[in-house]
Amino acid sequence: MALFNKSKQAPEGARRIEAQLQEAFGDVFHFDGEDFWMGVNGSTVLTIRYLEHQEDAGSVHINAHVVRKVRATAQLCHELLTSPEYQFLVGRWRIEPDDEAEGLSTVLLGTELLDQDGTLNTEDISAIVGLLAEAADTVDDELASQYGGMTAVDSFEKG
């Protein structure tokens, strides 16, 4: 008996995104068979999710996990939103509950891309993933040392 019974087949858009991620990054990103990838680029953990909205339209949600197991204080939020050193060419900050540490949060830097009629291509995805990974890698150690928590790579390695 299988642990996971995936009865749903991946949407066409997700299968195309899988091929593009493989072309751009080889076996760095691991696909769940439906709509989700996870991988490491440099020292940044990234997750990618494909959401099908219609038969010919979907969106790709890309998140760089910057800091995990951190307390989401007003000071941290203010710093992320107002400090020039945390403003990047692409991406938006998001803080969500950390699923492994009650009362603590994960800081994400991410973006959403529209995939209308298959227009999203390998170069677009590769560029955005690279920019997000580079930006996250630039600030993750500093944020972890200043506000607590740990970089995403450290949290996955240390558990």
Side-chain angles (χ1 to χ4, degrees):
M1 179 165 100
L3 289 175
F4 299 101
N5 182 7
K6 301 247 181 194
S7 59
K8 185 174 121 178
Q9 182 181 5
E12 181 182 328
R15 292 190 308 265
R16 190 172 34 74
I17 298 301
E18 163 68 2
Q20 292 174 348
L21 287 169
Q22 290 296 311
E23 179 183 335
F25 300 100
D27 62 356
V28 167
F29 287 96
H30 302 281
F31 186 38
D32 76 348
E34 273 186 39
D35 63 1
F36 182 81
W37 298 263
M38 184 174 191
V40 176
N41 188 332
S43 67
T44 302
V45 175
L46 291 119
T47 55
I48 302 170
R49 180 170 301 278
Y50 180 84
L51 298 175
E52 183 177 52
H53 302 294
Q54 301 173 340
E55 188 175 308
D56 61 347
S59 57
V60 179
H61 301 249
I62 304 169
N63 284 302
H65 295 239
V66 182
V67 180
R68 296 193 66 220
K69 301 177 183 178
V70 64
R71 191 153 315 279
T73 64
Q75 184 180 1
L76 170 62
C77 297
H78 182 268
E79 187 78 11
L80 292 175
L81 294 175
T82 62
S83 175
E85 63 189 74
Y86 298 131
Q87 306 303 309
F88 303 106
L89 295 175
V90 64
R92 49 90 188 105
W93 290 107
R94 179 176 171 159
I95 298 176
E96 60 184 37
D98 192 296
D99 57 356
E100 294 178 7
E102 189 173 329
L104 299 178
S105 299
T106 297
V107 175
L108 306 166
L109 180 63
T111 194
E112 290 77 33
L113 306 172
L114 180 63
D115 184 37
Q116 180 74 38
D117 295 323
T119 55
L120 196 56
N121 61 46
T122 304
E123 293 78 25
D124 295 334
I125 291 175
S126 178
I128 296 297
V129 165
L131 284 170
L132 288 173
E134 183 180 333
D137 189 35
T138 301
V139 299
D140 59 355
D141 292 319
E142 180 181 332
L143 284 172
S145 69
Q146 188 171 359
Y147 294 100
M150 53 191 357
T151 67
V153 168
D154 287 346
S155 76
F156 285 112
E157 289 175 354
K158 295 175 183 172

